[in-house]
Amino acid sequence: MSISYSMARPSAVTELGQTVTDSVERDWPVLGRDAEIAYGERALAGPAGPGLVVTGEPGVGKSRLADLLLDRCAARGLLVLRGAATEATRHIPGVGVAGLRRPDAPGWLPAGGRLRDELPRDRPVVVGIDDADHLDDASAAVLADLGGVADVRLLLTTGRAAGPPAARTDVAGRPLRRLHLPSLSRAVTSELLGQVLGPVDGLTADLLWRATRGNPRLLRRMLDIGLETGGLTRAHGVWSWRGRLDDQPRVRDLASTDLGTFDSAEITALRYVALAGCLSERILVDLVGDDAVAAVTARGAVTRSDGPDVRRTVAMAHPLYRQLALAGLGQLRRRQMYRDLVRAAGRAGTRGVDAAGLVWWRLEADLPQRGPGPAVAAARALAAGAPVLAEDLARHVPGTRGVGLRAQALMAQGRPAETERLLGAVDRDTELAALRSLNLFWGLSRPADARAEVLRARAAAGGPAGDDLGVAELAVSLFTRGPSPAVDAAPGAAPPPGASPDPVASPAVAAPRPLNPLVADARTTMNAYLLTFRGRPARAAGRFADGSLTLPARWPAMRGSAAACHVHALILAGQLAEATRLADRYYAEAVRRGQPVEVAVVGHERGVCAMWAGRPAEALPALREARALIDEHTPFPVRVFVSCEYAVCVAALGRPDEAYRELDRGLAEIPDDLGLRDRLEFSQIRALAHSGRLAYAADLADRLADRYLDAARLTTAVECAYFQVRLRPSTRGAARLRAAAKECDSPLFDLFTDHAEALAAADPRALCRVADGFAERGYLGLAYEAAAAVPGGGRVSRDADRRLADLAGRYPGPHPPWAGGPGVADPLTAREREVCELAASGLTNAAIATALNISVRTVTNLLERAYHKLGIHRRRQLPAALSRSLIPVIRD
């Protein structure tokens, strides 16, 4: 029976869904099979043997590969005979060899010995039989006879791992070559999804790969289920699987069918792994034997960790399989299996046993405890990155400690609403208050409630309340408008004698280590934010490099945010190439962990790296994916950062309206007293500049830079002041930037200052040096901008033209509207442009006159001159005309 990849089309779909369904139904491209195709062509083309047998699990693509090989044989002029064996026709006489047909003759080819007589004598022949393991003995004998004929090659496919019977693989004493077709890798599956559907977020690609183990037939079925049920949806041009796979009955049915092919020993092995969560391979072998463990591993039902044999562990490949493996397992049988685990752990010794897991097994087995109790075990499980086990253990811990442990386990699983219900119902000490404040802020996006919780706990303590609450205070203050926390001393305490004046080493935040592990995670992330965005990006990058700062191990939102800080610190320290490599690595790790918030924030930094490299078109897929992954459950600082960079990117690509809508949504969600509104405002300024509203953007940037400086937010102050002076070069702007950059530790900021001063002085040699400096560090957009600003005339200008031409070949981004220089013509004076921008925004002439402190008549005259230069006649034509006035001039 030949394998069919066609799928039933949903009865009712949208126009988009119809298009996607058609794409799913069409033949998929053959990806990741180059080596197999080359091997197959060699086996069928040369005289080394009678042919090839392709093996592999059902649905892996054997038939598709065979068809492709046969098509290539036909293209080379060989006569190709195709057929397929079926179980239904195995015992029916007279059908022939699997229903073979010649492409150049009508009807079936004859069976038995006459088939050999029908073959041409003047050209090579390839006989392809799909599902050859269903051949009857007579047909197999005929094929064996054909294989002995010169210039006849066989191509067989079989679903049996060992291949078809020997009679079908041994021809005239010569065996067919074997080719085992594996499932698709994670990377190839992701590429295939992209070609079939379009952009797919990395989390969804990984989810589908793990659910199908790279089997193309299962992947098609999963896509069909997702499209039909709405589990697979598209937002911002990116496909995502929303919700859990085990929430879909059809997915459960598909997985149940798959698990139904396992034998009893393999099912028992899966149940032990499902009960334990993560189990020593040594213990599992002791319980079910090597063969069962090897079978479930080979079939991808479990994953095996790397490392020495005595420490190797196995875990369920997907939560869905865990749920199905435990379905129908009664309480008595469950208890007995836990007792089996305890006994096997005793035989394995301490090297193969997880102490926290052993405590849980004894609890579930109703056996007396030995050694540490549930509280210690829960803390250990949390520290080891096993929050589900920690939650189970914490349920056996009474009192406040049990509440705290369970709350941490819930937060580590990304369940902030359940955490708040738990913490909001108990009397809290300062440790739980800090935990609740952080959860309110980062988990539930309720900054006012988070601040109130900190104030309540501080008042209840009647004085210094310890490290945990200090971290919560820092988290709130970092994102609140007003004076910034000092970089060189943590809030509320002075550095200890002889200690380095650094927030990582100051007692209120870092030493001694907070008792609460999730607060410790938050401390790391908040210190990373404090250093990166308060003028010490180079120090932040150095702290990550020397291990003083490490990524949080337990809380996904904090881990992703710390990773993003690490990448961003490298960008701002002038190490763009290293930042890009690190962002890719962090992204791959986040996808493997399967946490949407972590994937979104780290993936967004991949786009940020591309933006700093001057590659907005390359940045867009990463930023679009991050934008598609965030929702109302994503911590609002992450939502703001992702939305801001996405908006700037689409503005740089010529879509300002989309950018403004994105930023307006963000502004509507953020309270007025949060500093994140400033980040949105800065992004709005950048979007305005990309759309050609340079004067307005420069004025806003000027005021925002002063606000950042007043609040001692040095990093963002430098960024904003630098952008402002690029829009409107001036000695004053360059001096302000120089003063701010001196307070920071980034060599990149020194280059910003050199650029600003060169622009203000119109110094061609300095601009060339700046362009070279940016190019060496990989900031090609800024290098191109500096080279484009070199004034015309003279030898330096000719050198700059050559430099600009070289950069233009390496820089794929658009010419920035504000870059000026020989590449852009702006017919308007600065005052005319300013008046036109205000008029385009909807202001009347009187309002413009008031804003600029000039007369209404002057406004009218300026507009009339601008209309003439722009070739327009009406006010409503201004927005489009202003953008057109800044397009590049193409030079011969």
Side-chain angles (χ1 to χ4, degrees):
M1 179 170 57
S2 60
I3 296 173
S4 172
Y5 287 109
S6 64
M7 303 185 63
R9 179 178 300 176
S11 57
V13 291
T14 63
E15 182 178 348
L16 172 64
Q18 183 70 68
T19 302
V20 173
T21 302
D22 291 343
S23 179
V24 170
E25 288 181 351
R26 289 196 297 268
D27 284 342
W28 286 9
V30 177
L31 301 178
R33 304 298 195 196
D34 292 346
E36 290 85 353
I37 292 171
Y39 181 86
E41 288 186 309
R42 289 195 301 270
L44 296 174
L52 177 72
V53 57
V54 182
T55 66
E57 68 178 24
V60 79
K62 302 183 299 295
S63 300
R64 183 68 193 284
L65 181 71
D67 283 342
L68 186 148
L69 290 172
L70 292 173
D71 288 343
R72 293 194 176 187
C73 289
R76 295 199 307 269
L78 281 70
L79 175 63
V80 172
L81 308 181
R82 304 175 192 250
T86 68
E87 180 67 27
T89 61
R90 175 182 290 185
H91 303 295
I92 301 178
V95 173
V97 182
L100 283 174
R101 291 177 183 269
R102 279 185 59 164
D104 56 353
W108 301 100
L109 287 171
R114 291 185 299 151
L115 176 59
R116 184 169 181 169
D117 299 333
E118 291 289 324
L119 297 180
R121 306 294 183 183
D122 57 345
R123 57 192 296 199
V125 178
V126 177
V127 179
I129 304 296
D130 203 14
D131 287 338
D133 42 323
H134 292 311
L135 284 174
D136 59 90
D137 292 338
S139 295
V142 171
L143 284 180
D145 181 56
L146 285 177
V149 178
D151 288 334
V152 175
R153 298 285 179 270
L154 304 181
L155 174 57
L156 312 179
T157 72
T158 173
R160 298 185 183 185
R168 297 162 176 75
T169 58
D170 188 75
V171 176
R174 296 180 299 162
L176 294 172
R177 291 188 181 185
R178 291 178 181 273
L179 173 61
H180 180 72
L181 201 61
S183 295
L184 301 179
S185 68
R186 179 186 269 107
V188 173
T189 300
S190 179
E191 182 182 357
L192 180 60
L193 287 169
Q195 292 200 22
V196 172
L197 290 177
V200 178
D201 75 69
L203 199 62
T204 296
D206 189 71
L207 179 76
L208 290 171
W209 178 81
R210 287 187 290 118
T212 64
R213 302 186 302 282
N215 183 293
R217 181 197 288 175
L218 289 177
L219 191 62
R220 278 184 180 264
R221 291 179 179 174
M222 288 295 296
L223 295 188
D224 183 41
I225 292 170
L227 292 171
E228 188 170 325
T229 62
L232 193 62
T233 60
R234 193 167 82 158
H236 298 277
V238 179
W239 288 95
S240 298
W241 191 289
R242 297 294 185 181
R244 295 166 37 149
L245 286 181
D246 52 9
D247 289 337
Q248 294 285 354
R250 287 186 59 192
V251 175
R252 290 198 298 270
D253 292 344
L254 185 63
S256 296
T257 302
D258 188 30
L259 287 181
T261 62
F262 288 75
D263 64 29
S264 60
E266 293 164 358
I267 290 294
T268 301
L270 293 179
R271 284 177 169 171
Y272 278 122
V273 178
L275 286 171
C278 183
L279 182 61
S280 164
E281 185 180 42
R282 185 176 177 182
I283 292 177
L284 186 59
V285 169
D286 180 274
L287 291 168
V288 299
D290 284 309
D291 291 344
V293 175
V296 296
T297 303
R299 296 187 61 177
V302 300
T303 58
R304 185 167 61 178
S305 68
D306 296 327
D309 292 345
V310 294
R311 297 191 179 277
R312 192 173 295 156
T313 60
V314 293
M316 298 300 291
H318 195 277
L320 178 61
Y321 295 116
R322 180 177 187 269
Q323 177 185 349
L324 293 171
L326 295 178
L329 190 62
Q331 186 61 40
L332 291 177
R333 176 59 178 149
R334 182 187 295 255
R335 182 181 301 167
Q336 182 58 51
M337 293 186 76
Y338 274 116
R339 291 184 175 183
D340 294 342
L341 286 167
V342 171
R343 285 194 290 269
R347 293 190 293 270
T350 57
R351 295 184 67 188
V353 180
D354 174 67
L358 184 57
V359 171
W360 172 245
W361 298 348
R362 299 188 75 89
L363 286 170
E364 290 296 289
D366 198 20
L367 295 173
Q369 289 295 330
R370 299 172 183 172
V376 175
R380 289 178 178 175
L382 194 64
V388 176
L389 175 60
E391 181 191 2
D392 290 335
L393 289 164
R395 294 178 185 275
H396 295 270
V397 181
T400 301
R401 189 176 187 190
V403 171
L405 288 168
R406 189 178 168 201
Q408 292 175 70
L410 291 170
M411 291 170 70
Q413 295 175 64
R415 295 155 64 184
E418 295 174 65
T419 305
E420 171 57 17
R421 284 196 294 271
L422 181 65
L423 294 177
V426 298
D427 293 331
R428 297 175 296 279
D429 58 13
T430 54
E431 179 185 334
L432 292 188
L435 197 67
R436 188 186 185 206
S437 175
L438 290 167
N439 184 62
L440 287 166
F441 192 92
W442 282 86
L444 297 175
S445 302
R446 291 162 54 183
D449 292 336
R451 187 185 301 111
E453 182 69 9
V454 169
L455 294 175
R456 183 204 62 77
R458 180 66 71 189
D467 298 347
D468 292 332
L469 201 56
V471 174
E473 287 179 319
L474 178 59
V476 171
S477 61
L478 275 173
F479 297 97
T480 305
R481 273 183 174 164
S484 171
V487 172
D488 291 333
S500 171
D502 188 301
V504 177
S506 51
V509 179
R513 182 182 178 88
L515 174 65
N516 190 305
L518 263 70
V519 175
D521 280 359
R523 177 202 62 197
T524 296
T525 302
M526 294 309 112
N527 278 320
Y529 268 107
L530 185 62
L531 289 169
T532 302
F533 294 100
R534 299 302 187 270
R536 302 292 185 272
R539 188 188 302 183
R543 293 298 192 194
F544 277 109
D546 66 20
S548 300
L549 287 174
T550 57
L551 296 190
R554 293 157 288 261
W555 194 351
M558 290 297 172
R559 180 171 54 234
S561 296
C565 271
H566 188 186
V567 173
H568 208 77
L570 287 168
I571 293 172
L572 296 176
Q575 302 176 53
L576 184 57
E578 175 62 23
T580 302
R581 287 191 294 269
L582 189 68
D584 290 340
R585 193 192 91 197
Y586 281 158
Y587 173 79
E589 293 172 355
V591 166
R592 301 285 175 88
R593 282 189 285 267
Q595 293 291 340
V597 62
E598 189 179 354
V599 174
V601 69
V602 175
H604 141 266
E605 281 296 332
R606 298 172 73 208
V608 172
C609 288
M611 289 291 288
W612 278 96
R615 303 175 182 274
E618 294 180 20
L620 183 60
L623 295 173
R624 185 171 53 196
E625 176 186 335
R627 180 65 186 86
L629 285 173
I630 63 174
D631 55 25
E632 67 276 9
H633 303 297
T634 308
F636 71 86
V638 173
R639 295 207 304 268
V640 170
F641 293 139
V642 170
S643 292
C644 283
E645 203 65 28
Y646 174 76
V648 174
C649 181
V650 295
L653 293 172
R655 290 145 56 183
D657 291 342
E658 183 181 351
Y660 298 148
R661 287 194 299 270
E662 182 71 21
L663 294 170
D664 287 345
R665 279 193 295 269
L667 287 169
E669 295 178 2
I670 302 301
D672 291 338
D673 62 341
L674 287 185
L676 290 168
R677 289 186 70 88
D678 293 338
R679 171 60 63 174
L680 282 161
E681 185 176 340
F682 185 31
S683 299
Q684 187 178 45
I685 290 167
R686 294 165 67 194
L688 287 167
H690 279 294
S691 63
R693 301 183 64 183
L694 306 184
Y696 185 37
D699 287 339
L700 292 177
D702 191 32
R703 291 194 291 268
L704 183 59
D706 285 340
R707 192 190 311 159
Y708 277 136
L709 287 169
D710 291 342
R713 299 179 180 180
L714 293 173
T715 301
T716 41
V718 167
E719 289 186 76
C720 191
Y722 176 53
F723 194 73
Q724 189 275 336
V725 80
R726 287 155 62 198
L727 298 180
R728 185 182 291 160
S730 68
T731 303
R732 171 191 168 276
R736 177 177 61 179
L737 177 59
R738 173 71 72 182
K742 281 184 177 179
E743 299 297 321
C744 303
D745 68 357
S746 169
L748 182 65
F749 292 178
D750 294 334
L751 203 53
F752 289 174
T753 303
D754 293 342
H755 187 192
E757 292 172 347
L759 286 172
D763 184 336
R765 295 184 184 277
L767 285 168
C768 288
R769 287 195 298 272
V770 167
D772 291 341
F774 280 131
E776 288 173 4
R777 293 179 178 272
Y779 300 79
L780 294 181
L782 294 174
Y784 177 86
E785 188 178 323
V790 174
R795 185 177 63 80
V796 175
S797 177
R798 290 193 296 274
D799 291 343
D801 282 346
R802 287 193 293 270
R803 182 180 283 100
L804 185 61
D806 174 67
L807 286 169
R810 299 159 56 197
Y811 162 67
H815 190 109
W818 58 86
V824 170
D826 187 356
L828 303 180
T829 66
R831 182 60 97 179
E832 288 168 352
R833 174 163 290 279
E834 189 173 28
V835 169
C836 286
E837 288 178 14
L838 293 173
S841 68
L843 294 183
T844 65
N845 286 9
I848 295 172
T850 301
L852 299 181
N853 196 25
I854 57 179
S855 69
V856 175
R857 183 177 182 80
T858 299
V859 172
T860 302
N861 290 337
L862 288 168
L863 285 173
E864 288 178 354
R865 290 204 299 268
Y867 286 175
H868 177 73
K869 290 180 178 181
L870 296 173
I872 62 174
H873 306 284
R874 296 180 180 83
R875 205 181 196 94
R876 66 186 180 188
Q877 295 174 297
L878 273 172
L882 287 173
S883 297
R884 286 199 306 270
S885 73
L886 290 165
I887 60 175
V889 174
I890 306 226
R891 294 181 296 170
D892 294 332

